């Protein structure tokens, strides 16, 4: 049986090997700076590779009707569609619209959950960007009783 110290040492060694093999470069390449710096929903979708937005019942957004604390608003996106390239969660009235982007492929079940900050009541969008560039979306208004963006 391994001690905690041995487990930590081996974990550090594996992390070092991954770092030397360029693993952080792959993670950095996945970061889309233009999408995360976009202030408007359409600009973020475009930067993530989507064309015009099309409302769809095939994209499901999970979010509360009322968020008592805007600093930690649970939200999720899911779809059973095939050909999904990216899944995005966006908050319309946040200073920067894009909250999360999930890369997808055919071997994944497209069901992701996260938590986001919301400064005020706003529409929240779930967008599935398809391989052909279509951007399918669903939205929901989330009322925030206590803002979470420093307000």
């Amino acid at each position: 049986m391994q001690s905690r110290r041995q487990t930590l040492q081996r974990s550090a060694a594996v992390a070092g090997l991954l770092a030397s093999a360029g693993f952080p470069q792959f993670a950095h390449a996945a970061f889309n700076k233009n999408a995360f710096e976009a202030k408007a929903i359409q600009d973020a979708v475009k930067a993530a590779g989507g064309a015009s937005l099309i409302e769809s019942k095939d994209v499901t957004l999970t979010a509360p009707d009322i968020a008592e604390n805007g600093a930690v608003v649970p939200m999720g996106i899911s779809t059973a569609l095939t050909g999904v390239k990216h899944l995005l969660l966006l908050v319309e009235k946040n200073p920067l619209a894009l909250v999360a982007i999930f890369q997808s492929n055919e071997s994944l079940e497209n069901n992701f959950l996260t938590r986001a900050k919301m400064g005020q009541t706003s529409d929240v969008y779930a967008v599935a960007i398809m391989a052909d560039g279509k951007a399918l979306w669903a939205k929901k208004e989330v009322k925030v009783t206590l803002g979470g963006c420093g307000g």
Side-chain angles (χ1 to χ4, degrees):
M1 179 166 226
Q2 286 185 337
S3 71
R4 182 176 174 183
R5 178 174 291 182
Q6 290 172 319
T7 301
L8 289 172
Q9 287 173 334
R10 289 189 178 151
S11 296
V14 169
L17 287 172
L18 289 173
S20 67
F23 181 74
Q25 293 171 353
F26 292 118
H28 186 266
F31 178 73
N32 186 329
K33 183 178 180 187
N34 291 334
F36 278 102
E37 289 180 349
K39 296 182 187 303
I41 300 291
Q42 183 65 43
D43 294 342
V45 170
K46 184 177 179 183
S52 61
L53 291 162
I54 303 166
E55 188 171 6
S56 174
K57 295 188 184 305
D58 293 320
V59 177
T60 303
L61 170 64
T62 306
D65 293 330
I66 299 173
E68 298 204 11
N69 183 353
V72 286
V73 181
M75 55 183 69
I77 182 172
S78 63
T79 184
L81 293 169
T82 57
V84 176
K85 187 176 171 184
H86 302 292
L87 293 166
L88 286 65
L89 287 168
L90 305 106
V91 177
E92 187 172 45
K93 292 186 181 176
N94 271 7
L96 301 175
L98 184 60
V99 170
I101 185 168
F102 303 97
Q103 293 188 18
S104 182
N105 63 49
E106 295 303 318
S107 65
L108 291 176
E109 180 181 328
N110 290 312
N111 186 4
F112 299 97
L113 300 172
T114 191
R115 296 185 185 275
K117 286 187 175 186
M118 291 180 65
Q120 60 184 308
T121 297
S122 178
D123 284 337
V124 175
Y125 288 80
V127 179
I129 297 178
M130 309 304 289
D132 64 4
K134 289 181 184 168
L136 308 175
W137 62 269
K139 80 172 178 176
K140 177 179 186 176
E141 182 184 60
V142 176
K143 293 181 184 344
V144 176
T145 58
L146 176 65
C149 293

